[in-house]
Amino acid sequence: MKASETTLKSLLQGERQYVVPLYQRRYSWQKQHLRQLWSDLTGLVDTPGSSTHFLGSVVLAPNPTNTPAGVQRWLVVDGQQRLTTLSILLCAIRDHVRESDPQAAARIDDLYLINKYAPADERYTLLPTQADRTSWISLVESAPEAGGEDRIGEAYRFFRSALIQADDPEDPHDIARIEQAIAARLSIVEIAAHIDDNVYRIFESLNHTGLRLTQADLLRNYLFMRLTSRAEHVYQFQWLPLQELLTDKQLEQLIWLDLVLRGDDRATQESIYHAQQQRLQQFREEAEIEQWIVDLHLKARLFRRIVQPQSEPDGSLRVALDRLDRWGANVVHPIALHVLLAQDSGRLTAGEAAASLRVVESYLVRRMIVGIASTGSNRVLMSLVKELGSAVPSAQAITRVLSGPRRRFPTDQLVRDAVLTNPFYWTGRGPQRSYVLRCLEEDYRHGEPLDFAQSKLTIEHVLPQSPTPEWLAMLELDLEPDETPEDVHSSLVHTLGNLSLTAYNAKLANDGFVAKQKILADSGLAMNREIAAAPQWSRLEIHRRGRELADRIVRIWPGPDENARALPVSPRWAIMTQVLASIPSGRWTSYSDVAEVIGTHHRAVAGRLASVTMPNGHRVLKIHGTVSPDFRWPDPQRTEDPRLVLESEGIRFDEWGQASAAQRMTAHELAQLIDLDTDPEE
């Protein structure tokens, strides 16, 4: 190899052509990259003298078909994004000055863009990868379709706009100075490989300052270096159509999915290139590599239906895919693609495939409702394809695997219990909570479907998060012995039975139930009209509605088979430990705030603190900031006054022994501390 510093002018002048190989990625620079280059360039123009700006390197390899006469063709092994961008900018300058200075426009063509007397494709100084050639040639030839909506067109339009802004009518030489800076003041290191060098190894290992190569880019380049005799055909009829079906990120994910579907459930998306390369090295024949690309093309067409459910032609399968897409968890992609492959090969009908996907949805929704962490779901679903093995991925087969030991597929009874007691409002992610409520509303089977996308619905607490005296008085109607309205409120407020969807969240706010009834009675949602028909809204009504919603849930999202273990899941104490450990020094919270986050009574919180050693238990006070007279250190060896400990940590107490309200952490703040997905406080 030979490296030398050069300029764009020296690089482009003469009978030369720079060919971007077909295995390279398409032109990919986005506006942030274009803005940075333009900023660097204008800064250079504004700097007097002959200073230069280092742009980076361009790695070139001589084309094996070169002859001593004619255009010398070079393969652009690395640096094609920079080279293409600068050539687009020169096109923009040419077109900017064409009307005022046609001679300058012709000079730019002759010096940088065109080999004037060369035949056919050798006419163009730069020849991008096949996918970009039509757009590029249109630009060079000033065709009517030049400057379209692809990346090349976007870059061209960006530079045309920037040149208009930079063109000072009082300065006849400003655009010429920009051209001169591009041609002669941008420093480029030209690295020329010898004809016998392994140019792909050079390409693979280079680390440059342009847009970094993706894992998919590296794999594509490796594949087409391995293909020789049929590279053009495979690229044109398999890889290019595949590539155009998906975004860069989706293509990378597809290559990862291919590994997972082949049994590598430990594959990570950060190492897909090396994992695939290691597997593909076992192929000795080009035909094997070609067949792998053909198979990947099929997977791409099916994967597109997963990420764009509207492209699925079958109605029942389209609905099932749309439901998973709305749930918003990429972890379903391996099993979803596995199911679609089975359907495509005739092993499942479209209806059977839809039923299989509904089992996966049920598994995710039920676990979210009972409060099982999503990380466990991720591990289970990642290994699901491997555990199914060669079995047809039917609904029954998937249910059987997910009902197995340690899969924790919640039973109907566990779901019913969780609906009544768990703080659903702080479970899962916001869109998932809204999705569950939307599905429950849809289960009322409206004659005319609601347009949820346009209605801008948010989650409403019927019993408000901050209860007024009117609400507390209503809660007093069915108190149990030694129970307060505040106890009832904290145990009910975030449960599913107290939640609905409305477009009038701000309007409803903390209004009393009578005022809310009037608004909810006029709602287009059946669940709201049902709430409005209740005589009052306290524990009896919230629990009754919770049980009715639980009936709908177990019907909409079927559960495990008889092999599933019905052990209760109680995550609240683990959440409580997490909450307390997160309270910073100099802050305090109340028993009621902790109870609200975990969905229980404040007495249960106090009892837990008295019996189990938990971090920062002394930072939990009564609602008005006083130390509970019943407070006891779980460790009998500790005898300090908890108030003195809190004061040493920075808590300020007044003359009545109440901690500063400004230092209190509310339930909402506690939930945010442990990254529960919270909506803004009402």
Side-chain angles (χ1 to χ4, degrees):
M1 293 177 62
K2 181 177 67 176
S4 59
E5 187 174 0
T6 188
T7 63
L8 189 68
K9 182 177 181 179
S10 300
L11 203 63
L12 298 182
Q13 281 185 348
E15 291 280 298
R16 307 180 95 192
Q17 184 180 59
Y18 298 95
V19 180
V20 180
L22 59 86
Y23 57 76
Q24 286 265 28
R25 63 181 171 189
R26 297 184 67 165
Y27 179 68
S28 307
W29 272 29
Q30 300 178 33
K31 283 190 177 178
Q32 65 265 33
H33 308 107
L34 302 173
R35 288 192 192 99
Q36 184 61 56
L37 174 63
W38 183 253
S39 175
D40 293 340
L41 185 59
T42 53
L44 188 62
V45 171
D46 292 337
T47 303
S50 57
S51 58
T52 61
H53 174 78
F54 177 65
L55 191 63
S57 61
V58 176
V59 181
L60 307 171
N63 193 314
T65 63
N66 281 345
T67 61
V71 174
Q72 296 300 297
R73 307 183 82 190
W74 293 81
L75 299 179
V76 184
V77 180
D78 188 53
Q80 65 109 341
Q81 300 288 330
R82 295 187 197 86
L83 194 56
T84 303
T85 303
L86 293 174
S87 298
I88 293 169
L89 177 49
L90 287 168
C91 273
I93 293 174
R94 177 201 64 185
D95 294 345
H96 181 81
V97 303
R98 189 190 302 277
E99 194 169 314
S100 60
D101 191 350
Q103 187 175 355
R107 177 177 49 77
I108 291 172
D109 267 339
D110 292 345
L111 288 178
Y112 311 121
L113 302 174
I114 292 174
N115 294 314
K116 193 170 184 178
Y117 302 106
D121 281 350
E122 290 183 358
R123 165 178 168 79
Y124 306 104
T125 304
L126 174 70
L127 196 64
T129 190
Q130 193 179 63
D132 288 326
R133 284 180 192 175
T134 300
S135 180
W136 171 245
I137 291 171
S138 296
L139 208 60
V140 176
E141 299 293 357
S142 301
E145 64 272 18
E149 294 186 6
D150 63 348
R151 288 286 168 78
I152 285 181
E154 182 180 328
Y156 173 76
R157 287 181 277 108
F158 172 87
F159 288 128
R160 284 301 305 267
S161 176
L163 287 164
I164 291 169
Q165 289 183 302
D167 195 350
D168 183 358
E170 303 298 322
D171 184 354
H173 306 296
D174 50 0
I175 302 301
R177 284 197 295 273
I178 292 174
E179 181 203 334
Q180 180 64 18
I182 296 167
R185 297 180 64 185
L186 291 177
S187 175
I188 300 169
V189 171
E190 177 187 359
I191 303 174
H194 188 270
I195 195 167
D196 294 325
D197 286 337
N198 187 331
V199 294
Y200 181 71
R201 287 295 184 195
I202 301 167
F203 174 87
E204 185 181 23
S205 61
L206 279 169
N207 181 18
H208 52 79
T209 58
L211 190 64
R212 295 184 65 85
L213 293 170
T214 67
Q215 299 273 312
D217 290 331
L218 291 169
L219 182 63
R220 180 198 57 236
N221 301 338
Y222 171 77
L223 289 168
F224 284 94
M225 281 288 185
R226 292 279 306 273
L227 289 172
T228 54
S229 61
R230 289 177 53 81
E232 286 279 354
H233 177 85
V234 173
Y235 185 85
Q236 182 176 354
F237 292 101
Q238 297 296 336
W239 188 272
L240 183 57
L242 174 165
Q243 186 173 274
E244 291 178 340
L245 285 170
L246 306 171
T247 66
D248 290 347
K249 187 175 181 180
Q250 289 167 350
L251 177 56
E252 209 163 79
Q253 190 177 15
L254 174 66
I255 295 168
W256 168 73
L257 286 170
D258 178 75
L259 286 167
V260 175
L261 265 57
R262 294 177 188 276
D264 187 357
D265 60 343
R266 296 181 179 276
T268 65
Q269 295 190 43
E270 291 73 30
S271 60
I272 56 171
Y273 165 61
H274 292 294
Q276 286 284 19
Q277 185 191 41
Q278 188 173 17
R279 202 180 63 79
L280 292 168
Q281 280 176 343
Q282 301 171 21
F283 295 168
R284 293 289 178 261
E285 304 294 331
E286 280 192 46
E288 295 176 286
I289 295 175
E290 180 177 347
Q291 186 57 51
W292 183 84
I293 296 173
V294 170
D295 292 342
L296 193 69
H297 188 185
L298 169 63
K299 291 185 176 82
R301 287 192 282 109
L302 299 177
F303 183 50
R304 188 169 185 269
R305 299 179 189 177
I306 296 172
V307 296
Q308 296 182 22
Q310 66 274 16
S311 65
E312 168 56 50
D314 180 83
S316 62
L317 196 48
R318 182 167 60 249
V319 169
L321 289 169
D322 180 63
R323 291 173 70 93
L324 283 177
D325 185 60
R326 283 192 277 151
W327 183 254
N330 290 347
V331 71
V332 304
H333 289 169
I335 185 60
L337 184 54
H338 187 56
V339 168
L340 291 190
L341 283 165
Q343 187 254 337
D344 184 76
S345 66
R347 300 170 73 204
L348 290 173
T349 66
E352 290 169 339
S356 296
L357 297 179
R358 290 300 295 271
V359 173
V360 177
E361 179 191 341
S362 293
Y363 181 76
L364 292 170
V365 173
R366 283 183 171 233
R367 285 171 64 101
M368 177 263 202
I369 288 172
V370 304
I372 301 175
S374 62
T375 51
S377 307
N378 295 349
R379 287 193 297 271
V380 171
L381 292 180
M382 273 290 293
S383 62
L384 180 55
V385 172
K386 188 174 182 179
E387 292 195 43
L388 285 167
S390 60
V392 176
S394 64
Q396 294 78 9
I398 293 173
T399 301
R400 185 180 64 254
V401 172
L402 294 179
S403 301
R406 303 182 66 180
R407 296 297 180 267
R408 300 176 76 183
F409 195 168
T411 62
D412 290 356
Q413 188 57 51
L414 189 53
V415 170
R416 294 180 192 279
D417 294 343
V419 168
L420 295 183
T421 60
N422 283 12
F424 179 81
Y425 184 67
W426 281 334
T427 303
R429 294 185 286 111
Q432 293 172 342
R433 297 190 290 267
S434 296
Y435 173 76
V436 170
L437 285 165
R438 171 178 170 174
C439 290
L440 289 169
E441 174 63 29
E442 290 173 336
D443 191 57
Y444 284 84
R445 309 205 183 280
H446 296 271
E448 182 178 342
L450 294 172
D451 188 349
F452 285 92
Q454 298 298 321
S455 54
K456 298 181 180 178
L457 299 175
T458 58
I459 295 179
E460 160 70 10
H461 289 75
V462 184
L463 169 64
Q465 296 185 70
S466 301
T468 61
E470 178 184 347
W471 278 104
L472 293 175
M474 187 179 291
L475 295 177
E476 285 183 344
L477 297 176
D478 55 0
L479 293 180
E480 296 177 356
D482 298 323
E483 192 176 43
T484 68
E486 289 79 10
D487 292 339
V488 179
H489 175 268
S490 64
S491 66
L492 294 174
V493 64
H494 297 307
T495 61
L496 187 56
N498 186 50
L499 303 176
S500 187
L501 293 171
T502 178
Y504 303 104
N505 197 300
K507 187 175 181 180
L508 292 166
N510 289 349
D511 283 351
F513 185 60
V514 173
K516 288 193 174 189
Q517 275 180 308
K518 295 176 181 178
I519 296 174
L520 295 174
D522 292 332
S523 171
L525 274 67
M527 65 167 64
N528 288 341
R529 297 193 298 271
E530 203 170 68
I531 293 169
Q536 61 186 28
W537 200 251
S538 60
R539 175 160 48 202
L540 180 65
E541 289 75 26
I542 292 172
H543 277 176
R544 180 185 293 125
R545 179 169 181 261
R547 284 189 287 270
E548 291 171 354
L549 293 179
D551 288 341
R552 292 183 184 274
I553 287 169
V554 298
R555 184 175 65 251
I556 297 169
W557 293 289
D561 63 24
E562 65 279 359
N563 295 320
R565 300 179 67 188
L567 295 177
V569 179
S570 181
R572 58 168 55 101
W573 300 129
I575 296 174
M576 179 173 163
T577 302
Q578 191 181 0
V579 165
L580 297 185
S582 302
I583 300 173
S585 179
R587 302 295 299 274
W588 65 276
T589 192
S590 73
Y591 295 100
S592 296
D593 288 312
V594 175
E596 187 175 324
V597 174
I598 67 174
T600 189
H601 287 184
H602 74 76
R603 284 186 175 80
V605 172
R608 182 76 173 176
L609 286 172
S611 59
V612 178
T613 301
M614 303 190 81
N616 302 326
H618 64 288
R619 295 176 184 169
V620 184
L621 307 177
K622 298 185 73 176
I623 190 67
H624 297 298
T626 57
V627 176
S628 170
D630 298 324
F631 176 82
R632 299 290 183 274
W633 297 102
D635 182 357
Q637 301 299 317
R638 293 198 68 175
T639 58
E640 310 102 301
D641 182 342
R643 174 173 170 173
L644 294 178
V645 174
L646 289 167
E647 285 179 331
S648 71
E649 294 176 351
I651 297 294
R652 301 183 299 277
F653 287 86
D654 61 19
E655 57 188 303
W656 296 284
Q658 295 179 340
S660 169
Q663 294 176 294
R664 173 189 165 195
M665 301 201 75
T666 66
H668 194 269
E669 290 172 319
L670 293 175
Q672 288 180 317
L673 269 184
I674 60 171
D675 294 325
L676 294 180
D677 190 18
T678 60
D679 294 321
E681 291 188 88
E682 295 169 4

